[in-house]
Amino acid sequence: MYYQSKDKNFCLYQGNSIQVLGQLKEQVDMIFADPPYFLSNGGKKIQGRRMVSVDKGDWDKADSLEYIDNFNQEWIDACNPLLKDNGTIWVCGTFHNIYSVEKCLKNAGFQIINIITWQKSDPTPTWGELHFNFSSEYIIWARKNPKSKHYFNYELMKELNGGVLMPDVWKLPTVGMWEKTCGKHPTQKPLRLLYRIVLASTRVGEVILDPFAGSCTTGIAANLLGRKFVGIDKSEDYLNLGIKRKIDIEDYSRLIEMQKRIAENPEEVTVMVNHARQETKAKMIETGICYLRAGESNGSLCVTPGFERMEYVLLHTGGNDCQLFKLKQKGCFQIWTKESLENYGFTPSHATYYIVLKFDNTMRPKFKIPNNIKERINTYRAKIRPLSDFLDFNNL
């Protein structure tokens, strides 16, 4: 073993992945693999204002399709006995390697569940006038044993997608600067991508293996979400980078900060947080109507970016007695007069017009209520917050 953290939840091995895999005994619940794509063929991309090579190194070069197939079959076969019968594997790629991976997984007896398209919201421009810009990667999700039921966090994936089943196209950004504070890897995956994969296919306390760990993004995501990690890589430099990243999140304040950042998503569902007096809140829940002042009055709602992604409303009284409900229509509101609200038994008195949000008062999504709803004068202001603020990372 190259490294084991004090909490024993982050274990690293240095060496040839196939050889190390053959020596491991512990079975794991999920495997995430980011193998060589074999795209280092002299191509170019635009980085900043310069044209740079896409070549990653000799490890990313292949002289034939047969070589790629043999490589993929060998590491997949080596992973197979370490994965529990009800376990799943995720493998990343582009068109350079993904068809080979799919074939080799089937040869090893795996059953394909989904092929995810990761659509990069901020892709690097690729050079050339004879093709579209390369802006996507693909992730195969497969289960080891077609006869064993694999784990899929169906309800959470629905809630994160506004109450409807999440599609197989994920629009997420590439690696941000906040993920490179300890250093960077040339093929580093974004934590936000691993966040979704880990939540979708594992439970708290389960073990995740990455046979091509690199800078250990898989391990950082696993530990941030309460899972255990086993990683393998040939490069000591990259494993040392992964260790630095692990030590970084051992600081509690840094852990909380990173948990919040990892859950952020430019396409994320949002929540309207609204204070109401106790009796008014009770009437809102009874009628399924949440209202806020509109017009030139103190405390009126300012429609900001994120309103169009709003799918929930949280009602509270001065930061206490918080209750979350799903809106009947995403990102939509109506303008009502004072008289219209009075017809439903309300007694508004501060404005002529009100913004009205209708919600389903029969269902209460199971999310954690954050402890910072109460924040002095801001407690009484309506505000839009990301749904990730309401996630309990100890129970996902």
Side-chain angles (χ1 to χ4, degrees):
M1 184 180 293
Y2 185 76
Y3 173 82
Q4 184 178 58
S5 61
K6 293 178 182 178
D7 59 15
K8 297 185 178 180
N9 291 332
F10 192 91
C11 301
L12 299 178
Y13 294 85
Q14 189 269 325
N16 179 286
S17 293
I18 295 166
Q19 293 175 359
V20 175
L21 286 167
Q23 298 169 8
L24 297 181
K25 303 300 181 185
E26 180 182 14
Q27 286 206 311
V28 301
D29 300 280
M30 187 266 272
I31 296 172
F32 176 84
D34 186 16
Y37 289 8
F38 301 111
L39 50 71
S40 293
N41 56 6
K44 303 288 184 181
K45 66 178 181 179
I46 301 170
Q47 187 169 302
R49 296 183 178 180
R50 297 184 301 118
M51 194 81 73
V52 299
S53 171
V54 300
D55 287 3
K56 311 299 180 187
D58 290 341
W59 55 268
D60 194 46
K61 295 179 180 179
D63 55 14
S64 68
L65 294 176
E66 182 181 9
Y67 175 87
I68 295 173
D69 285 346
N70 289 339
F71 174 84
N72 284 326
Q73 196 67 66
E74 194 171 5
W75 74 258
I76 289 171
D77 287 345
C79 282
N80 200 335
L82 297 176
L83 187 62
K84 293 178 181 178
D85 277 350
N86 63 347
T88 59
I89 184 170
W90 301 76
V91 189
C92 295
T94 58
F95 70 83
H96 304 82
N97 74 321
I98 203 68
Y99 302 111
S100 171
V101 167
E102 187 256 357
K103 177 174 65 177
C104 294
L105 283 170
K106 288 182 176 179
N107 287 343
F110 286 88
Q111 182 183 54
I112 308 300
I113 303 169
N114 282 110
I115 299 181
I116 303 297
T117 299
W118 168 30
Q119 180 187 359
K120 301 173 186 178
S121 55
D122 55 348
T124 301
T126 43
W127 177 80
E129 299 179 351
L130 297 176
H131 58 75
F132 298 106
N133 194 45
F134 297 115
S135 62
S136 297
E137 293 187 27
Y138 309 101
I139 311 167
I140 295 176
W141 185 32
R143 59 179 178 173
K144 176 178 178 177
N145 188 344
K147 296 181 180 179
S148 296
K149 184 178 180 181
H150 66 279
Y151 177 70
F152 176 47
N153 201 335
Y154 173 80
E155 290 299 331
L156 178 60
M157 292 299 106
K158 276 181 60 178
E159 296 297 346
L160 293 179
N161 197 48
V164 296
L165 186 57
M166 187 175 288
D168 58 3
V169 176
W170 299 352
K171 189 174 183 180
L172 295 168
T174 53
V175 180
M177 292 303 298
W178 59 275
E179 303 176 70
K180 302 177 183 178
T181 54
C182 296
K184 61 181 180 178
H185 185 280
T187 63
Q188 188 169 326
K189 290 293 179 288
L191 278 165
R192 289 165 179 159
L193 180 68
L194 269 299
Y195 164 83
R196 187 172 295 183
I197 287 171
V198 169
L199 285 185
S201 56
T202 63
R203 302 174 180 88
V204 170
E206 292 189 335
V207 183
I208 298 170
L209 168 68
D210 188 337
F212 306 99
S215 60
C216 302
T217 296
T218 306
I220 300 304
N223 282 189
L224 286 171
L225 295 168
R227 279 72 167 168
K228 299 176 182 179
F229 173 67
V230 178
I232 307 168
D233 203 89
K234 291 173 65 175
S235 169
E236 289 190 33
D237 289 341
Y238 291 140
L239 290 177
N240 290 338
L241 172 53
I243 293 169
K244 287 175 64 178
R245 297 178 74 188
K246 168 60 178 174
I247 293 171
D248 182 51
I249 63 170
E250 288 177 351
D251 178 84
Y252 183 72
S253 61
R254 181 64 171 158
L255 173 73
I256 299 302
E257 177 191 350
M258 291 294 283
Q259 284 180 333
K260 184 176 176 62
R261 294 299 297 267
I262 194 176
E264 291 173 347
N265 177 359
E267 305 294 312
E268 185 178 356
V269 168
T270 58
V271 180
M272 170 60 72
V273 178
N274 186 41
H275 157 79
R277 294 192 306 271
Q278 196 68 48
E279 62 275 14
T280 304
K281 186 162 75 71
K283 178 61 71 173
M284 287 181 175
I285 294 172
E286 177 189 333
T287 58
I289 293 172
C290 169
Y291 67 88
L292 310 96
R293 304 172 199 169
E296 296 181 1
S297 62
N298 291 331
S300 62
L301 174 68
C302 177
V303 179
T304 60
F307 198 100
E308 74 283 358
R309 291 180 276 112
M310 185 175 62
E311 301 223 15
Y312 299 93
V313 59
L314 181 136
L315 301 176
H316 67 93
T317 300
N320 299 312
D321 191 22
C322 304
Q323 292 160 302
L324 188 71
F325 301 92
K326 189 174 188 302
L327 294 178
K328 289 189 173 180
Q329 200 167 0
K330 175 183 176 181
C332 293
F333 63 90
Q334 298 176 356
I335 302 293
W336 285 18
T337 63
K338 174 183 175 182
E339 290 74 22
S340 296
L341 285 169
E342 289 173 342
N343 291 335
Y344 284 85
F346 295 104
T347 56
S349 58
H350 293 89
T352 305
Y353 297 100
Y354 292 84
I355 289 170
V356 169
L357 305 167
K358 293 186 177 181
F359 60 89
D360 185 347
N361 57 6
T362 64
M363 295 182 62
R364 297 184 182 178
K366 296 179 181 178
F367 286 102
K368 181 192 77 168
I369 303 302
N371 57 13
N372 60 348
I373 295 294
K374 196 168 186 175
E375 43 183 345
R376 298 184 181 179
I377 60 171
N378 291 324
T379 300
Y380 305 96
R381 295 177 181 171
K383 57 183 71 68
I384 296 172
R385 293 178 60 164
L387 185 62
S388 56
D389 282 0
F390 301 85
L391 297 178
D392 183 354
F393 289 93
N394 294 318
N395 292 294
L396 290 175

